[in-house]
Amino acid sequence: MLKHGADARDPLTEKHPWYVLIELASQTDAALDEELENLLGEAIERSFVDDAAIAASLVQRNDFWRLRELMSEVQKHEGGSIKHDVSVPISAAPAFLADVARDVPAAIPGARMVAFGHLGDGNIHCNISQPVGADKDAFMARWDEVHDIVHGLVRKYNGSISAEHGIGVQKRDELPHVKDKVAMELMRTIKKTLDPNGILNPGKVL
């Protein structure tokens, strides 16, 4: 990601497989810097964290956030990307990601998982970038295959195939496979009650 982000740099001295961005806010005069330092110190002592950097200014804070905000943009420079907006229970996130990193490359050697999102609520943008040097069109043609793998693992961990971006059209046909019949009938009943003429966002979800 860093090689494609103009002037972006790793805030840590060594590369790490996972990064967590934390921002604290308070309406009081609480010593948030001290709270954060204590939290990170304990996490490092317990081997939950390898290293950390704390923004010392608004400029540094914005630089940290820019790294996160560039994630979607820079993937374009790596070729085709098959995207997933999913969620799993927070406790299941490590196992889910490990399974994706194992199963997708097993089907498509060289495929690269690019996962980022919102750790606090289990929402994950679990994107798959094409193998380096692969044909983009050929990779994107395997969209359904990759979706089946990732969404199958989402179901394994009792997650959801749609997190913050909704069902829309793309996931409409998959919805009956992850919702039971009672839930689907209830959704259709509510839709028919509120929109008897089918004029509200037609063709979406149901």
Side-chain angles (χ1 to χ4, degrees):
M1 193 275 280
L2 294 175
K3 67 180 180 180
H4 298 304
D7 299 324
R9 67 179 185 84
D10 193 325
L12 304 179
T13 55
E14 298 181 3
K15 292 183 178 180
H16 298 272
W18 296 103
Y19 290 74
V20 177
L21 177 61
I22 300 174
E23 181 167 286
L24 303 182
S26 174
Q27 294 181 335
T28 70
D29 293 329
L32 294 182
D33 287 348
E34 183 177 347
E35 291 286 340
L36 183 57
E37 288 174 2
N38 291 337
L39 173 66
L40 291 173
E42 181 177 350
I44 291 173
E45 287 180 5
R46 298 175 65 179
S47 299
F48 293 156
V49 172
D50 291 327
D51 197 0
I54 299 177
S57 66
L58 182 60
V59 171
Q60 289 184 355
R61 177 264 185 199
N62 291 339
D63 286 343
F64 286 3
W65 272 106
R66 185 166 175 269
L67 291 173
R68 167 61 180 85
E69 292 161 355
L70 280 172
M71 289 298 296
S72 295
E73 177 65 27
V74 297
Q75 287 178 75
K76 298 175 183 177
H77 300 290
E78 291 293 317
S81 177
I82 299 177
K83 303 180 184 300
H84 307 87
D85 170 49
V86 301
S87 67
V88 296
I90 297 172
S91 60
F96 164 74
L97 292 171
D99 282 0
V100 173
R102 176 198 65 208
D103 291 354
V104 174
I108 306 177
R112 298 162 290 160
M113 180 180 72
V114 181
F116 60 101
H118 317 278
L119 183 62
D121 54 19
N123 290 3
I124 303 170
H125 301 291
C126 188
N127 301 340
I128 308 297
S129 287
Q130 70 176 59
V132 175
D135 179 83
K136 179 179 178 179
D137 291 338
F139 173 72
M140 297 303 289
R142 303 183 72 173
W143 183 284
D144 290 340
E145 179 185 354
V146 174
H147 269 304
D148 287 345
I149 295 172
V150 174
H151 288 169
L153 292 171
V154 169
R155 292 192 290 272
K156 172 184 175 180
Y157 290 102
N158 299 312
S160 171
I161 63 170
S162 180
E164 60 179 330
H165 294 299
I167 297 296
V169 173
Q170 187 181 89
K171 300 178 182 178
R172 180 183 57 198
D173 294 338
E174 293 186 59
L175 191 59
H177 300 295
V178 297
K179 290 288 186 183
D180 60 45
K181 292 182 179 179
V182 174
M184 290 299 298
E185 278 304 311
L186 180 59
M187 292 168 66
R188 290 190 180 98
T189 299
I190 293 173
K191 169 69 171 175
K192 187 174 182 179
T193 300
L194 298 177
D195 184 23
N197 297 319
I199 61 174
L200 300 179
N201 212 14
K204 310 297 192 299
V205 185
L206 299 171

